Amino acid sequence: MGTSLSWPRRLLRVRAAKPLIFLLCLLPFAGLFWRGWTNNLGPNPEQTVIWTTGLWALRLLLITLAVTPLRKLTGWAELARFRRMFGLFVFFYALLHFTAWLGLVNGFSIDMAARDIVKHPFVLAGMTALLLMTPLALTSTNGMIKRLGARRWQALHRLVYVVGAVAVFHFWWGKLAKNNTASPTVYAVILAVLLGLRLRWAWRAAQARRASLQGERAADDQGKSRSLA
Amino acid sequence: QALASRKNSALSTTQTPTPYKDITTYNNFYEFGTSKSDPSQNAGSLKTRPWTVVVEGEVNKPRTFGIDDLLKLAPMEERIYRHRCVEGWAMVVPWLGYSFSHLLKAVEPTGNAKYVEYITLLDPAEMPGQNDPILQWPYLEGLRMDEAMHPLTLLTFGLYGEVLPNQDGAPMRMVIPWKYGFKGGKSIVKIRLVEKQPITSWMRAVPQWYGFYSNVNPDVSPQNWSQANERLIGQGGAFGGLFSPRVPTQMFNGYGAQVASLYQGMNLTKFF
């Protein structure tokens, strides 16, 4: 049975694959913790924590968004079962990123944080991304999928495309302050490819639907004229 | 390399200086790369001898100084200044230098000298970051004449009793303690006295966020983040001091008593 499958697919099917990827996703956090424990977060630990957690939230978001295109392009159906875990890790790192900003920069002062959000589009974008991904994290369980119904659940989770755009904007806008937008541009291009592929597929599916509809109509017309004859 | 000086307590803060290691490994000096650790890793390629500084423009006695002449132009003082970066962090630095006004007086500014601009070395071979067009090179910063003549404005040659390490702006830089750190041009080769307000490198790059004055101001934050408080580097403690609280930022970085009069009647929200 398994012999017909390619080695990546066989690997993805291994039982240990999921816990292994879980540990890999946890690695940036573990690294931060270890560096903190051993006093190795650098001269500005606050900045190290905020930048590292933000960057990994964004990286994992792109990985999450890459699962479906990769599955379609390679035919590796096994990829699908990792998607939820990647998505939840995005939320985990985004929440750490937010908490570090709220606690370390604003001393947990809601008043200061609110003023910052209202005044700076950069901060507002980050908050927006976090707020938009919260319902997605909360409805990620099988029970919630059942309760919402597959169609409504899917519609809701399309919000992740907006989260991607807002998150990349947040990163880009942040780096603009230092006139150093090279790396956000790379992330923007990757996001554009991932969303672009989806648009293309949606467009093709729509065309195919239209073609088959036209085909049916043509067949109908033919039938009608024949019966008139 | 040691640099003799006497301490100027009157112009020094009593705060504990930031550890030498932090001051010399956490730097913004884009000429050597954009990451904080780049300058300390890459600045070895900068040759600081021989070094000359051209002083020209609206002066009666334009002159090219050798670095050794400049080291002897006025008595070297140690001044412990607060240093506030626009990014929201701060240090306490024991600089060595003397008031910039000594140099300006030596060249006799004319009546037309309203501003002074100071320009960093342009040499992509020694400053590899200049191959990246992230800013318009060479780096240019400037001050209004009265700011430049203010006794706090320090022409700086050393740090912690020694000559400046390359990553901190060797062999000579500017330090203006009531302004954000980027106003302190590093590795200066040219000083020009001019009639019109210079357009600085950061004003040119992101004009909506960086103004000419760039005085430390907790209430004005044209950038992406609030300037209300700051993280003091090198505090130590658990997790490298991660959980020690930020401290409130002071108007003019705490130098208001000495410099606020320079800006009397000016709208500091408009002229940020």
Side-chain angles (χ1 to χ4, degrees):
Chain A
M1 40 155 265
T3 44
S4 60
L5 286 175
S6 61
W7 67 266
R9 297 190 66 173
R10 284 206 303 270
L11 213 63
L12 288 170
R13 283 187 175 205
V14 170
R15 198 178 250 268
K18 210 164 183 178
L20 210 68
I21 292 180
F22 182 90
L23 288 176
L24 275 178
C25 289
L26 210 53
L27 217 53
F29 174 74
L32 270 183
F33 190 84
W34 178 250
R35 286 171 69 190
W37 191 256
T38 56
N39 262 315
N40 263 320
L41 285 170
N44 192 345
E46 170 195 296
Q47 186 194 43
T48 305
V49 168
I50 292 179
W51 286 13
T52 307
T53 50
L55 201 58
W56 279 102
L58 188 57
R59 284 174 180 168
L60 283 157
L61 181 59
L62 292 185
I63 289 174
T64 310
L65 284 170
V67 169
T68 300
L70 206 63
R71 179 172 61 79
K72 285 196 180 175
L73 290 172
T74 58
W76 301 346
E78 294 77 9
L79 281 168
R81 73 188 179 106
F82 303 105
R83 196 174 60 168
R84 169 163 50 193
M85 189 167 67
F86 286 135
L88 284 170
F89 266 111
V90 176
F91 189 63
F92 172 69
Y93 281 104
L95 213 54
L96 281 176
H97 182 61
F98 164 77
T99 309
W101 167 77
L102 185 67
L104 303 177
V105 178
N106 293 299
F108 289 110
S109 155
I110 304 295
D111 182 49
M112 269 181 68
R115 262 184 291 170
D116 209 358
I117 292 167
V118 176
K119 208 163 169 204
H120 301 108
F122 162 68
V123 185
L124 180 64
M127 275 315 299
T128 306
L130 181 70
L131 283 178
L132 288 180
M133 69 174 87
T134 303
L136 309 194
L138 294 178
T139 58
S140 64
T141 60
N142 290 340
M144 284 309 286
I145 298 174
K146 232 174 254 169
R147 214 171 301 168
L148 281 171
R151 191 172 268 185
R152 262 194 297 170
W153 184 88
Q154 202 175 21
L156 174 67
H157 279 247
R158 290 223 167 93
L159 264 182
V160 71
Y161 307 144
V162 183
V163 174
V166 176
V168 167
F169 173 77
H170 172 63
F171 185 34
W172 180 81
W173 192 256
K175 283 287 198 174
L176 189 62
K178 303 300 291 181
N179 210 30
N180 190 7
T181 51
S183 65
T185 304
V186 173
Y187 284 78
V189 168
I190 294 173
L191 180 73
V193 169
L194 294 175
L195 297 187
L197 280 170
R198 287 175 164 84
L199 268 180
R200 210 175 91 158
W201 285 324
W203 170 253
R204 277 196 181 165
Q207 262 185 330
R209 259 199 310 278
R210 210 175 308 139
S212 76
L213 263 175
Q214 272 169 356
E216 275 169 41
R217 214 172 294 147
D220 270 7
D221 290 352
Q222 243 176 16
K224 266 181 216 157
S225 51
R226 216 173 284 151
S227 66
L228 279 172
Chain B
Q1 197 187 341
L3 190 57
S5 67
R6 74 181 162 77
K7 185 164 176 188
N8 186 331
S9 300
L11 294 182
S12 290
T13 168
T14 52
Q15 281 176 268
T16 312
T18 305
Y20 182 81
K21 185 169 179 274
D22 293 330
I23 299 175
T24 55
T25 57
Y26 191 73
N27 305 95
N28 277 319
F29 198 172
Y30 276 17
E31 281 80 348
F32 297 107
T34 54
S35 125
K36 293 284 184 297
S37 53
D38 284 341
S40 54
Q41 282 165 19
N42 302 332
S45 51
L46 176 69
K47 289 185 209 77
T48 56
R49 294 295 165 111
W51 190 276
T52 55
V53 180
V54 177
V55 188
E56 59 178 31
E58 294 294 343
V59 293
N60 288 323
K61 293 182 171 171
R63 207 180 132 181
T64 300
F65 292 88
I67 190 67
D68 292 308
D69 306 331
L70 286 167
L71 282 163
K72 285 179 293 197
L73 190 76
M76 198 64 66
E77 298 173 16
E78 181 181 67
R79 297 189 192 175
I80 305 174
Y81 278 171
R82 278 185 294 275
H83 179 88
R84 170 64 152 81
C85 177
V86 72
E87 294 169 341
W89 52 265
M91 293 183 176
V92 179
V93 188
W95 300 111
L96 306 177
Y98 49 78
S99 295
F100 186 44
S101 59
H102 290 296
L103 173 64
L104 292 176
K105 282 175 193 153
V107 294
E108 294 180 12
T110 71
N112 288 333
K114 301 281 192 290
Y115 295 90
V116 51
E117 55 185 42
Y118 33 96
I119 299 162
T120 299
L121 174 71
L122 175 66
D123 187 342
E126 290 187 26
M127 295 180 146
Q130 288 178 336
N131 292 308
D132 189 347
I134 204 158
L135 290 173
Q136 194 178 68
W137 311 112
Y139 192 81
L140 183 150
E141 261 302 344
L143 295 169
R144 211 170 58 191
M145 208 55 195
D146 56 346
E147 298 176 321
M149 292 296 286
H150 195 281
L152 279 172
T153 300
L154 192 70
L155 195 61
T156 307
F157 301 87
L159 170 69
Y160 262 109
E162 297 177 2
V163 298
L164 282 173
N166 289 354
Q167 63 268 34
D168 287 277
M172 184 185 90
R173 64 170 292 171
M174 294 287 290
V175 173
I176 309 101
W178 70 94
K179 293 176 180 284
Y180 293 117
F182 67 88
K183 290 296 287 183
K186 303 185 179 99
S187 305
I188 293 166
V189 292
K190 189 180 278 187
I191 294 167
R192 201 184 285 140
L193 286 84
V194 293
E195 204 175 345
K196 291 212 175 86
Q197 182 179 292
I199 297 170
T200 68
S201 290
W202 278 107
M203 287 168 75
R204 199 179 288 276
V206 208
Q208 67 274 32
W209 289 347
Y210 297 101
F212 179 75
Y213 288 95
S214 296
N215 293 316
V216 174
N217 187 339
D219 303 319
V220 175
S221 50
Q223 302 84 15
N224 264 337
W225 49 86
S226 158
Q227 299 289 10
N229 59 19
E230 62 204 34
R231 163 111 355 221
L232 193 55
I233 301 293
Q235 295 259 69
F239 280 71
L242 180 65
F243 300 113
S244 60
R246 280 190 167 211
V247 293
T249 292
Q250 302 173 72
M251 188 65 203
F252 298 117
N253 203 22
Y255 295 93
Q258 291 108 304
V259 302
S261 59
L262 296 174
Y263 308 102
Q264 216 138 44
M266 266 178 77
N267 179 350
L268 295 178
T269 306
K270 192 174 166 214
F271 297 101
F272 56 81

